Amino acid sequence: MGTINLIWRNSVRNKIRFALTLLSVAIAFFLYTAYSGINTALTASVTEANQLRLNSSHKVSLTRGLPVSYKQKMRSIEGVTSVSYASWFGGYVKDETQQISVFAVDHESYFQMHPEYALDAEQLTRWQKQQTGILVGQKLADNFGWKVGDKVPISTSIWMNRDGHFTWFFTVSAIFQGNSPSVNDNQAFFHHQYFDEARAFGRYEANWFIPQIDKTANAAKVSLDIDAFFENAVEPTRTSTEQVFKKEQTQQFADMAMILRLAVIAVFFTLLLIVCNTMMQVIRERRRETAIMKTSGFSSSYLIILLFLESLLLFGSGAFLGGLVGFIALDQLQYLFSDFLPGISLSPNLFIEMALMIALGAIISSVFPAITLAASSITSDLGTQS
Amino acid sequence: MQKNHYIQLDGVNKSFSKGRESVDILKSFNLSINQGEFVAIMGPSGLGKSTLLHLIGGLDEPCDGTIKIGDVTLSGLSESERTKWRAHHVGFVFQAHHLIPVLTAQKNVELPLILTKLSAKDRQKHGLAALELVDMKERCKHYPSELSGGQEQRVAIARAIVSDPNLLLCDEPTGNLDRKTADDILRLLAELNQQFNKTVIMVTHDPKAAEYATRVIQLEQYLSQNSDNRMADSGYN
């Protein structure tokens, strides 16, 4: 009969209460794991944004195009070293329920400015030379079973081509992967030139430009210079750093994450009250047993340690259970949100954070019961005082 | 020359606060008990029998006076020191057995041994030996809910003696039992006293139970006859 056995036996003494408390701990840790995974994606997409890239779109709306001729004009602004551009194509395969992310990009410059996509020189050259070629992310290729050389039809509900059809045909030139988990490989890129030549309207316009600057310190100045340059043009611009742009794009998710964070804090606070109350009940129920243990030579500090370990067991097993379910849920979320929020993953610090929360939870929930236990009198607890 | 007693209480005062009033339970109380005695303490409720037992067992502190058990003066010890002392020197048996319901008889008996440096195997051996002494070895795997009142009390006695203490303090150990079972338990206590030279102090209301003791102290009489704090025991066997 060891201490561990005693802790375990005491913990599961009231099985229903143990199971319900364990469930509430598990739910709290599940929420924390889910929140942590989403937060990792949100912060990664913003913090991993290239500090040297700016984003310039129409002052009125991102959906309004800017002339592709702006590329040369922007290039002439001091501090800008190169410029690329891109447009949203949308896209779906076979029917509209199978939506995919497809972009038309300047084939000459786009990937030179976006090293986060893992492409070797041979793959890039092959794609650049193939006007109807499309670069497909590994996940997207896996989903549809696409291979290099396949001719793939991709439809769009926005862009009619000059033949009057909404289905465009591309040849898979290469398949790329991301250099980090936050890089979305569930998307595809094709030549903006092909896009301009083949679409029925909006030709030679791009949704956004990506000016690259010489040093990060110049970001604010160059942004202002670009917007000033086009201030009186028919299509004025609004320029910011890629980091700010991504922050704006993910703001909805960030708001959601904030709500989730507040919910998680509230849940944990409630949880502490629940577990603390449970431990107080435990102490009250075992008053006589505790007294008899004290008569047998168990000190109050020893009994408090037993109580703390019991609480630790509750938090630890709940965290394991909740964390495991959270991990499985994140895997599903990763797939569902891969287009909008790539990089949903467990932070390496999560385990340390959870360990600290388990310890802290166990300590806080044991404080009041420990005070009660230390202050209790053996004689009155035995109910035999004359 | 004064004889060295195993238990010596000198000028012990104990009072409790009840609301605003202070109630004196023991006043300048003296008592001596020798090693190997089986003492029964009798008297009406509220006189301080259990309090006396708690003071001797170090569960409570006197307001004044000294309590010496063997070479140790309890009144000079801190609470944690008294706790350690209890672990090695005293075994308690109460009217209610207070066994832990989720542990088997054997595990309940082994419980005090967690505090020792004994290995799990040795703890098991000691636990079984104690259960054998109280004739409960066959029931070692049973949970308290599967035992009768008498059997539970036997297990509680085994738990009290498992760490081989010199002193057994029993507070109404047969109060919840029928006559036959009570006699079995009392015989067991007498055996422990006679065969293993354990000093047994038993608080009881039951005159039949007192017959098993080597000395009976009628506390009411003892307190009134000895207002000058001189000990006067009434022999009973």
PDB file of all heavy atoms in Angstrom, chain A residues 274-302:
ATOM      1  N   ILE A 274     -14.865  25.234  -9.303  1.00  0.00           N
ATOM      2  CA  ILE A 274     -15.476  23.884  -9.245  1.00  0.00           C
ATOM      3  C   ILE A 274     -14.540  22.914  -8.524  1.00  0.00           C
ATOM      4  O   ILE A 274     -14.943  22.200  -7.604  1.00  0.00           O
ATOM      5  CB  ILE A 274     -15.794  23.365 -10.671  1.00  0.00           C
ATOM      6  CG1 ILE A 274     -16.926  24.190 -11.290  1.00  0.00           C
ATOM      7  CG2 ILE A 274     -16.155  21.884 -10.655  1.00  0.00           C
ATOM      8  CD1 ILE A 274     -17.157  23.904 -12.757  1.00  0.00           C
ATOM      9  N   VAL A 275     -13.272  22.911  -8.958  1.00  0.00           N
ATOM     10  CA  VAL A 275     -12.324  21.941  -8.376  1.00  0.00           C
ATOM     11  C   VAL A 275     -12.078  22.269  -6.896  1.00  0.00           C
ATOM     12  O   VAL A 275     -11.999  21.370  -6.059  1.00  0.00           O
ATOM     13  CB  VAL A 275     -11.005  21.893  -9.180  1.00  0.00           C
ATOM     14  CG1 VAL A 275     -10.022  20.927  -8.552  1.00  0.00           C
ATOM     15  CG2 VAL A 275     -11.277  21.492 -10.617  1.00  0.00           C
ATOM     16  N   CYS A 276     -11.988  23.571  -6.605  1.00  0.00           N
ATOM     17  CA  CYS A 276     -11.772  23.987  -5.219  1.00  0.00           C
ATOM     18  C   CYS A 276     -12.941  23.503  -4.347  1.00  0.00           C
ATOM     19  O   CYS A 276     -12.734  22.959  -3.262  1.00  0.00           O
ATOM     20  CB  CYS A 276     -11.655  25.497  -5.163  1.00  0.00           C
ATOM     21  SG  CYS A 276     -11.011  26.085  -3.626  1.00  0.00           S
ATOM     22  N   ASN A 277     -14.153  23.678  -4.862  1.00  0.00           N
ATOM     23  CA  ASN A 277     -15.341  23.231  -4.143  1.00  0.00           C
ATOM     24  C   ASN A 277     -15.326  21.715  -3.962  1.00  0.00           C
ATOM     25  O   ASN A 277     -15.651  21.193  -2.887  1.00  0.00           O
ATOM     26  CB  ASN A 277     -16.593  23.680  -4.914  1.00  0.00           C
ATOM     27  CG  ASN A 277     -17.848  23.408  -4.128  1.00  0.00           C
ATOM     28  OD1 ASN A 277     -17.895  23.667  -2.939  1.00  0.00           O
ATOM     29  ND2 ASN A 277     -18.843  22.861  -4.788  1.00  0.00           N
ATOM     30  N   THR A 278     -14.921  21.007  -5.027  1.00  0.00           N
ATOM     31  CA  THR A 278     -14.829  19.536  -4.948  1.00  0.00           C
ATOM     32  C   THR A 278     -13.844  19.121  -3.861  1.00  0.00           C
ATOM     33  O   THR A 278     -14.135  18.238  -3.052  1.00  0.00           O
ATOM     34  CB  THR A 278     -14.379  18.963  -6.310  1.00  0.00           C
ATOM     35  OG1 THR A 278     -15.263  19.443  -7.308  1.00  0.00           O
ATOM     36  CG2 THR A 278     -14.369  17.456  -6.314  1.00  0.00           C
ATOM     37  N   MET A 279     -12.689  19.792  -3.827  1.00  0.00           N
ATOM     38  CA  MET A 279     -11.677  19.428  -2.840  1.00  0.00           C
ATOM     39  C   MET A 279     -12.156  19.762  -1.414  1.00  0.00           C
ATOM     40  O   MET A 279     -11.847  19.028  -0.472  1.00  0.00           O
ATOM     41  CB  MET A 279     -10.340  20.139  -3.128  1.00  0.00           C
ATOM     42  CG  MET A 279      -9.703  19.795  -4.470  1.00  0.00           C
ATOM     43  SD  MET A 279      -9.709  18.057  -4.927  1.00  0.00           S
ATOM     44  CE  MET A 279      -8.433  17.393  -3.911  1.00  0.00           C
ATOM     45  N   MET A 280     -12.925  20.842  -1.296  1.00  0.00           N
ATOM     46  CA  MET A 280     -13.476  21.181   0.016  1.00  0.00           C
ATOM     47  C   MET A 280     -14.456  20.095   0.470  1.00  0.00           C
ATOM     48  O   MET A 280     -14.460  19.689   1.630  1.00  0.00           O
ATOM     49  CB  MET A 280     -14.211  22.531  -0.030  1.00  0.00           C
ATOM     50  CG  MET A 280     -13.301  23.740  -0.079  1.00  0.00           C
ATOM     51  SD  MET A 280     -12.221  23.912   1.345  1.00  0.00           S
ATOM     52  CE  MET A 280     -13.331  24.548   2.562  1.00  0.00           C
ATOM     53  N   GLN A 281     -15.259  19.624  -0.498  1.00  0.00           N
ATOM     54  CA  GLN A 281     -16.214  18.543  -0.194  1.00  0.00           C
ATOM     55  C   GLN A 281     -15.460  17.295   0.254  1.00  0.00           C
ATOM     56  O   GLN A 281     -15.844  16.628   1.213  1.00  0.00           O
ATOM     57  CB  GLN A 281     -16.991  18.197  -1.455  1.00  0.00           C
ATOM     58  CG  GLN A 281     -18.399  18.756  -1.480  1.00  0.00           C
ATOM     59  CD  GLN A 281     -19.089  18.353  -2.750  1.00  0.00           C
ATOM     60  OE1 GLN A 281     -18.571  18.586  -3.832  1.00  0.00           O
ATOM     61  NE2 GLN A 281     -20.237  17.744  -2.632  1.00  0.00           N
ATOM     62  N   VAL A 282     -14.368  17.021  -0.474  1.00  0.00           N
ATOM     63  CA  VAL A 282     -13.541  15.848  -0.161  1.00  0.00           C
ATOM     64  C   VAL A 282     -13.053  15.926   1.284  1.00  0.00           C
ATOM     65  O   VAL A 282     -13.139  14.957   2.043  1.00  0.00           O
ATOM     66  CB  VAL A 282     -12.348  15.782  -1.157  1.00  0.00           C
ATOM     67  CG1 VAL A 282     -11.242  14.893  -0.643  1.00  0.00           C
ATOM     68  CG2 VAL A 282     -12.829  15.309  -2.520  1.00  0.00           C
ATOM     69  N   ILE A 283     -12.547  17.100   1.650  1.00  0.00           N
ATOM     70  CA  ILE A 283     -12.024  17.282   3.012  1.00  0.00           C
ATOM     71  C   ILE A 283     -13.128  17.088   4.056  1.00  0.00           C
ATOM     72  O   ILE A 283     -12.929  16.431   5.078  1.00  0.00           O
ATOM     73  CB  ILE A 283     -11.377  18.689   3.142  1.00  0.00           C
ATOM     74  CG1 ILE A 283     -10.045  18.702   2.389  1.00  0.00           C
ATOM     75  CG2 ILE A 283     -11.172  19.107   4.575  1.00  0.00           C
ATOM     76  CD1 ILE A 283      -9.005  17.761   2.972  1.00  0.00           C
ATOM     77  N   ARG A 284     -14.308  17.651   3.757  1.00  0.00           N
ATOM     78  CA  ARG A 284     -15.418  17.516   4.720  1.00  0.00           C
ATOM     79  C   ARG A 284     -15.821  16.053   4.883  1.00  0.00           C
ATOM     80  O   ARG A 284     -16.024  15.574   5.983  1.00  0.00           O
ATOM     81  CB  ARG A 284     -16.626  18.341   4.253  1.00  0.00           C
ATOM     82  CG  ARG A 284     -16.542  19.797   4.669  1.00  0.00           C
ATOM     83  CD  ARG A 284     -17.896  20.473   4.523  1.00  0.00           C
ATOM     84  NE  ARG A 284     -18.336  20.506   3.148  1.00  0.00           N
ATOM     85  CZ  ARG A 284     -18.032  21.464   2.284  1.00  0.00           C
ATOM     86  NH1 ARG A 284     -17.274  22.465   2.665  1.00  0.00           N
ATOM     87  NH2 ARG A 284     -18.468  21.428   1.044  1.00  0.00           N
ATOM     88  N   GLU A 285     -15.905  15.349   3.742  1.00  0.00           N
ATOM     89  CA  GLU A 285     -16.329  13.945   3.783  1.00  0.00           C
ATOM     90  C   GLU A 285     -15.338  13.048   4.528  1.00  0.00           C
ATOM     91  O   GLU A 285     -15.710  12.077   5.148  1.00  0.00           O
ATOM     92  CB  GLU A 285     -16.472  13.415   2.354  1.00  0.00           C
ATOM     93  CG  GLU A 285     -17.757  13.850   1.685  1.00  0.00           C
ATOM     94  CD  GLU A 285     -17.763  13.467   0.226  1.00  0.00           C
ATOM     95  OE1 GLU A 285     -16.878  12.707  -0.214  1.00  0.00           O
ATOM     96  OE2 GLU A 285     -18.647  13.954  -0.475  1.00  0.00           O
ATOM     97  N   ARG A 286     -14.061  13.395   4.397  1.00  0.00           N
ATOM     98  CA  ARG A 286     -13.037  12.515   4.987  1.00  0.00           C
ATOM     99  C   ARG A 286     -12.528  13.039   6.320  1.00  0.00           C
ATOM    100  O   ARG A 286     -11.420  12.703   6.735  1.00  0.00           O
ATOM    101  CB  ARG A 286     -11.859  12.405   4.009  1.00  0.00           C
ATOM    102  CG  ARG A 286     -12.249  11.784   2.704  1.00  0.00           C
ATOM    103  CD  ARG A 286     -11.013  11.602   1.860  1.00  0.00           C
ATOM    104  NE  ARG A 286     -11.359  11.525   0.464  1.00  0.00           N
ATOM    105  CZ  ARG A 286     -10.537  11.842  -0.510  1.00  0.00           C
ATOM    106  NH1 ARG A 286      -9.313  12.222  -0.246  1.00  0.00           N
ATOM    107  NH2 ARG A 286     -10.916  11.743  -1.766  1.00  0.00           N
ATOM    108  N   ARG A 287     -13.321  13.881   6.938  1.00  0.00           N
ATOM    109  CA  ARG A 287     -12.882  14.511   8.184  1.00  0.00           C
ATOM    110  C   ARG A 287     -12.411  13.482   9.212  1.00  0.00           C
ATOM    111  O   ARG A 287     -11.338  13.585   9.783  1.00  0.00           O
ATOM    112  CB  ARG A 287     -14.044  15.305   8.751  1.00  0.00           C
ATOM    113  CG  ARG A 287     -13.692  16.696   9.185  1.00  0.00           C
ATOM    114  CD  ARG A 287     -14.905  17.387   9.651  1.00  0.00           C
ATOM    115  NE  ARG A 287     -15.667  16.453  10.499  1.00  0.00           N
ATOM    116  CZ  ARG A 287     -16.710  16.785  11.218  1.00  0.00           C
ATOM    117  NH1 ARG A 287     -17.138  18.015  11.182  1.00  0.00           N
ATOM    118  NH2 ARG A 287     -17.355  15.915  11.948  1.00  0.00           N
ATOM    119  N   ARG A 288     -13.229  12.449   9.404  1.00  0.00           N
ATOM    120  CA  ARG A 288     -12.894  11.453  10.433  1.00  0.00           C
ATOM    121  C   ARG A 288     -11.704  10.597  10.023  1.00  0.00           C
ATOM    122  O   ARG A 288     -10.865  10.248  10.846  1.00  0.00           O
ATOM    123  CB  ARG A 288     -14.106  10.578  10.727  1.00  0.00           C
ATOM    124  CG  ARG A 288     -15.159  11.385  11.419  1.00  0.00           C
ATOM    125  CD  ARG A 288     -16.272  10.555  11.945  1.00  0.00           C
ATOM    126  NE  ARG A 288     -17.121  11.377  12.799  1.00  0.00           N
ATOM    127  CZ  ARG A 288     -18.115  10.935  13.514  1.00  0.00           C
ATOM    128  NH1 ARG A 288     -18.407   9.662  13.505  1.00  0.00           N
ATOM    129  NH2 ARG A 288     -18.830  11.740  14.243  1.00  0.00           N
ATOM    130  N   GLU A 289     -11.676  10.264   8.720  1.00  0.00           N
ATOM    131  CA  GLU A 289     -10.536   9.458   8.241  1.00  0.00           C
ATOM    132  C   GLU A 289      -9.235  10.240   8.377  1.00  0.00           C
ATOM    133  O   GLU A 289      -8.188   9.691   8.731  1.00  0.00           O
ATOM    134  CB  GLU A 289     -10.730   9.105   6.770  1.00  0.00           C
ATOM    135  CG  GLU A 289     -11.793   8.060   6.554  1.00  0.00           C
ATOM    136  CD  GLU A 289     -12.185   7.968   5.108  1.00  0.00           C
ATOM    137  OE1 GLU A 289     -11.330   8.225   4.250  1.00  0.00           O
ATOM    138  OE2 GLU A 289     -13.351   7.664   4.828  1.00  0.00           O
ATOM    139  N   THR A 290      -9.330  11.532   8.053  1.00  0.00           N
ATOM    140  CA  THR A 290      -8.146  12.380   8.164  1.00  0.00           C
ATOM    141  C   THR A 290      -7.697  12.432   9.618  1.00  0.00           C
ATOM    142  O   THR A 290      -6.502  12.349   9.921  1.00  0.00           O
ATOM    143  CB  THR A 290      -8.482  13.804   7.661  1.00  0.00           C
ATOM    144  OG1 THR A 290      -9.063  13.685   6.376  1.00  0.00           O
ATOM    145  CG2 THR A 290      -7.259  14.663   7.563  1.00  0.00           C
ATOM    146  N   ALA A 291      -8.687  12.538  10.519  1.00  0.00           N
ATOM    147  CA  ALA A 291      -8.362  12.591  11.946  1.00  0.00           C
ATOM    148  C   ALA A 291      -7.683  11.289  12.387  1.00  0.00           C
ATOM    149  O   ALA A 291      -6.688  11.318  13.115  1.00  0.00           O
ATOM    150  CB  ALA A 291      -9.625  12.840  12.752  1.00  0.00           C
ATOM    151  N   ILE A 292      -8.200  10.171  11.912  1.00  0.00           N
ATOM    152  CA  ILE A 292      -7.618   8.883  12.321  1.00  0.00           C
ATOM    153  C   ILE A 292      -6.209   8.734  11.745  1.00  0.00           C
ATOM    154  O   ILE A 292      -5.319   8.166  12.376  1.00  0.00           O
ATOM    155  CB  ILE A 292      -8.541   7.692  11.931  1.00  0.00           C
ATOM    156  CG1 ILE A 292      -8.292   6.490  12.862  1.00  0.00           C
ATOM    157  CG2 ILE A 292      -8.318   7.197  10.539  1.00  0.00           C
ATOM    158  CD1 ILE A 292      -9.012   6.582  14.134  1.00  0.00           C
ATOM    159  N   MET A 293      -6.004   9.291  10.545  1.00  0.00           N
ATOM    160  CA  MET A 293      -4.651   9.250   9.976  1.00  0.00           C
ATOM    161  C   MET A 293      -3.700  10.100  10.804  1.00  0.00           C
ATOM    162  O   MET A 293      -2.542   9.736  11.012  1.00  0.00           O
ATOM    163  CB  MET A 293      -4.671   9.712   8.506  1.00  0.00           C
ATOM    164  CG  MET A 293      -5.251   8.638   7.584  1.00  0.00           C
ATOM    165  SD  MET A 293      -5.381   9.180   5.885  1.00  0.00           S
ATOM    166  CE  MET A 293      -3.725   8.875   5.293  1.00  0.00           C
ATOM    167  N   LYS A 294      -4.224  11.234  11.287  1.00  0.00           N
ATOM    168  CA  LYS A 294      -3.381  12.080  12.142  1.00  0.00           C
ATOM    169  C   LYS A 294      -3.027  11.360  13.448  1.00  0.00           C
ATOM    170  O   LYS A 294      -1.909  11.462  13.934  1.00  0.00           O
ATOM    171  CB  LYS A 294      -4.090  13.398  12.451  1.00  0.00           C
ATOM    172  CG  LYS A 294      -4.054  14.400  11.298  1.00  0.00           C
ATOM    173  CD  LYS A 294      -4.691  15.706  11.752  1.00  0.00           C
ATOM    174  CE  LYS A 294      -4.708  16.739  10.647  1.00  0.00           C
ATOM    175  NZ  LYS A 294      -5.392  17.968  11.072  1.00  0.00           N
ATOM    176  N   THR A 295      -4.007  10.622  13.998  1.00  0.00           N
ATOM    177  CA  THR A 295      -3.701   9.888  15.238  1.00  0.00           C
ATOM    178  C   THR A 295      -2.638   8.813  14.990  1.00  0.00           C
ATOM    179  O   THR A 295      -1.866   8.481  15.861  1.00  0.00           O
ATOM    180  CB  THR A 295      -4.949   9.195  15.844  1.00  0.00           C
ATOM    181  OG1 THR A 295      -5.423   8.234  14.912  1.00  0.00           O
ATOM    182  CG2 THR A 295      -6.030  10.166  16.187  1.00  0.00           C
ATOM    183  N   SER A 296      -2.613   8.306  13.725  1.00  0.00           N
ATOM    184  CA  SER A 296      -1.627   7.252  13.406  1.00  0.00           C
ATOM    185  C   SER A 296      -0.260   7.828  13.084  1.00  0.00           C
ATOM    186  O   SER A 296       0.652   7.086  12.736  1.00  0.00           O
ATOM    187  CB  SER A 296      -2.108   6.435  12.210  1.00  0.00           C
ATOM    188  OG  SER A 296      -3.376   5.901  12.452  1.00  0.00           O
ATOM    189  N   GLY A 297      -0.134   9.151  13.138  1.00  0.00           N
ATOM    190  CA  GLY A 297       1.181   9.753  12.934  1.00  0.00           C
ATOM    191  C   GLY A 297       1.350  10.501  11.625  1.00  0.00           C
ATOM    192  O   GLY A 297       2.440  10.979  11.319  1.00  0.00           O
ATOM    193  N   PHE A 298       0.290  10.603  10.830  1.00  0.00           N
ATOM    194  CA  PHE A 298       0.392  11.390   9.594  1.00  0.00           C
ATOM    195  C   PHE A 298       0.307  12.874   9.962  1.00  0.00           C
ATOM    196  O   PHE A 298      -0.648  13.275  10.633  1.00  0.00           O
ATOM    197  CB  PHE A 298      -0.748  11.037   8.621  1.00  0.00           C
ATOM    198  CG  PHE A 298      -0.592   9.693   7.970  1.00  0.00           C
ATOM    199  CD1 PHE A 298      -1.064   8.546   8.596  1.00  0.00           C
ATOM    200  CD2 PHE A 298       0.023   9.569   6.730  1.00  0.00           C
ATOM    201  CE1 PHE A 298      -0.915   7.302   8.006  1.00  0.00           C
ATOM    202  CE2 PHE A 298       0.173   8.334   6.132  1.00  0.00           C
ATOM    203  CZ  PHE A 298      -0.302   7.190   6.767  1.00  0.00           C
ATOM    204  N   SER A 299       1.291  13.635   9.511  1.00  0.00           N
ATOM    205  CA  SER A 299       1.278  15.064   9.833  1.00  0.00           C
ATOM    206  C   SER A 299       0.317  15.799   8.907  1.00  0.00           C
ATOM    207  O   SER A 299      -0.040  15.291   7.837  1.00  0.00           O
ATOM    208  CB  SER A 299       2.686  15.636   9.672  1.00  0.00           C
ATOM    209  OG  SER A 299       3.067  15.540   8.324  1.00  0.00           O
ATOM    210  N   SER A 300      -0.055  17.001   9.290  1.00  0.00           N
ATOM    211  CA  SER A 300      -0.938  17.816   8.448  1.00  0.00           C
ATOM    212  C   SER A 300      -0.285  18.094   7.106  1.00  0.00           C
ATOM    213  O   SER A 300      -0.938  18.055   6.062  1.00  0.00           O
ATOM    214  CB  SER A 300      -1.249  19.143   9.138  1.00  0.00           C
ATOM    215  OG  SER A 300      -2.049  18.904  10.244  1.00  0.00           O
ATOM    216  N   SER A 301       1.027  18.361   7.114  1.00  0.00           N
ATOM    217  CA  SER A 301       1.707  18.684   5.843  1.00  0.00           C
ATOM    218  C   SER A 301       1.692  17.477   4.906  1.00  0.00           C
ATOM    219  O   SER A 301       1.523  17.624   3.693  1.00  0.00           O
ATOM    220  CB  SER A 301       3.129  19.182   6.094  1.00  0.00           C
ATOM    221  OG  SER A 301       3.804  18.275   6.905  1.00  0.00           O
ATOM    222  N   TYR A 302       1.846  16.276   5.468  1.00  0.00           N
ATOM    223  CA  TYR A 302       1.790  15.058   4.638  1.00  0.00           C
ATOM    224  C   TYR A 302       0.404  14.924   4.004  1.00  0.00           C
ATOM    225  O   TYR A 302       0.276  14.644   2.812  1.00  0.00           O
ATOM    226  CB  TYR A 302       2.094  13.840   5.510  1.00  0.00           C
ATOM    227  CG  TYR A 302       2.281  12.546   4.736  1.00  0.00           C
ATOM    228  CD1 TYR A 302       3.557  12.092   4.407  1.00  0.00           C
ATOM    229  CD2 TYR A 302       1.191  11.783   4.318  1.00  0.00           C
ATOM    230  CE1 TYR A 302       3.736  10.920   3.692  1.00  0.00           C
ATOM    231  CE2 TYR A 302       1.366  10.608   3.593  1.00  0.00           C
ATOM    232  CZ  TYR A 302       2.633  10.184   3.300  1.00  0.00           C
ATOM    233  OH  TYR A 302       2.806   9.029   2.579  1.00  0.00           O
TER     234      TYR A 302
END
